[in-house]
C-alpha cells in the first residue's frame, strides 16, 4: 500500500491552482470536471508520477469550521519538504507570500509556515542530515 493522492481543502479551485503552480512551483496533473467543481490535482515537477495533491473544494459544511480552527490555532494543514528552507523562504517572500512563522530550527528539522491564500496554513520543512 502507498499514498497516491492526498488533499488540501481550498475555498476556490482556480485561485488555488494559480497559487500552487505559479507560486509554490507544482505542476497541474489532472483537471477533470465533476459537476460544479473539478478533480484537480498538482504534483511536484521532480516527481510527476508521484503523490498527487488534490485541490479539493471546501464546500462540505464541516470543512470551513475545521480549516478556521486550524488557522486560529496556528496549525498547518499539511507539510511540504524543501531542500533549502532559507532559499525557499526568501523566494516565496519575494513573490509576496505571507509567512506566519519564519524558518525555525527544531534540531532535526527546520520549518516555516505560510498562508496559501485559500484558507490554509502550510508548513515547509527541511530535514537536516542525521
Amino acid at each position: 500500500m502507498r499514498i497516491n493522492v492526498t488533499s488540501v481543502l481550498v475555498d476556490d479551485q482556480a485561485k488555488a491552482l494559480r497559487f500552487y503552480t505559479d507560486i509554490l512551483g507544482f505542476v497541474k496533473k489532472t483537471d477533470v470536471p465533476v459537476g460544479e467543481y473539478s478533480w484537480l490535482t498538482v504534483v511536484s515537477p521532480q516527481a510527476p508520477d508521484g503523490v498527487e495533491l488534490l485541490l479539493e473544494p471546501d464546500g462540505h459544511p464541516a470543512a470551513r469550521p475545521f480549516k478556521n480552527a486550524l488557522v486560529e490555532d496556528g496549525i498547518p494543514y499539511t507539510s511540504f519538504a524543501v531542500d533549502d528552507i532559507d532559499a525557499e523562504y526568501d523566494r516565496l517572500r519575494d513573490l509576496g507570500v505571507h509567512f506566519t512563522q519564519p524558518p525555525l530550527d527544531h534540531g532535526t528539522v527546520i520549518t516555516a509556515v505560510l498562508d496559501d491564500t485559500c484558507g490554509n496554513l502550510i508548513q515547509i520543512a527541511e530535514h537536516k542530515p542525521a
Side-chain angles (χ1 to χ4, degrees):
M1 189 176 303
R2 66 188 193 285
I3 299 170
N4 183 44
V5 176
T6 190
S7 64
V8 62
L9 296 167
V10 299
D11 58 11
D12 179 307
Q13 285 186 304
K15 178 176 66 171
L17 182 61
R18 285 189 302 275
F19 184 83
Y20 281 79
T21 57
D22 296 346
I23 303 296
L24 295 186
F26 293 107
V27 294
K28 182 168 66 170
K29 172 87 176 202
T30 308
D31 187 354
V32 177
V34 183
E36 68 178 286
Y37 301 111
S38 292
W39 180 265
L40 180 60
T41 67
V42 295
V43 294
S44 168
Q46 289 82 26
D49 295 320
V51 176
E52 296 178 45
L53 179 66
L54 174 63
L55 303 177
E56 186 166 359
D58 65 2
H60 187 279
R64 289 193 183 175
F66 170 71
K67 288 172 47 179
N68 289 340
L70 290 178
V71 170
E72 286 174 18
D73 289 344
I75 299 171
Y77 189 92
T78 194
S79 181
F80 302 134
V82 297
D83 292 330
D84 182 339
I85 199 160
D86 291 322
E88 194 64 17
Y89 175 77
D90 290 341
R91 182 186 78 81
L92 292 172
R93 264 195 347 177
D94 288 348
L95 291 171
V97 173
H98 171 71
F99 280 82
T100 61
Q101 177 203 300
L104 183 61
D105 193 326
H106 301 280
T108 59
V109 66
I110 305 168
T111 65
V113 179
L114 61 92
D115 180 337
D116 78 348
T117 73
C118 303
N120 304 291
L121 298 179
I122 304 294
Q123 177 175 276
I124 57 173
E126 175 188 344
H127 292 274
K128 296 177 4 181

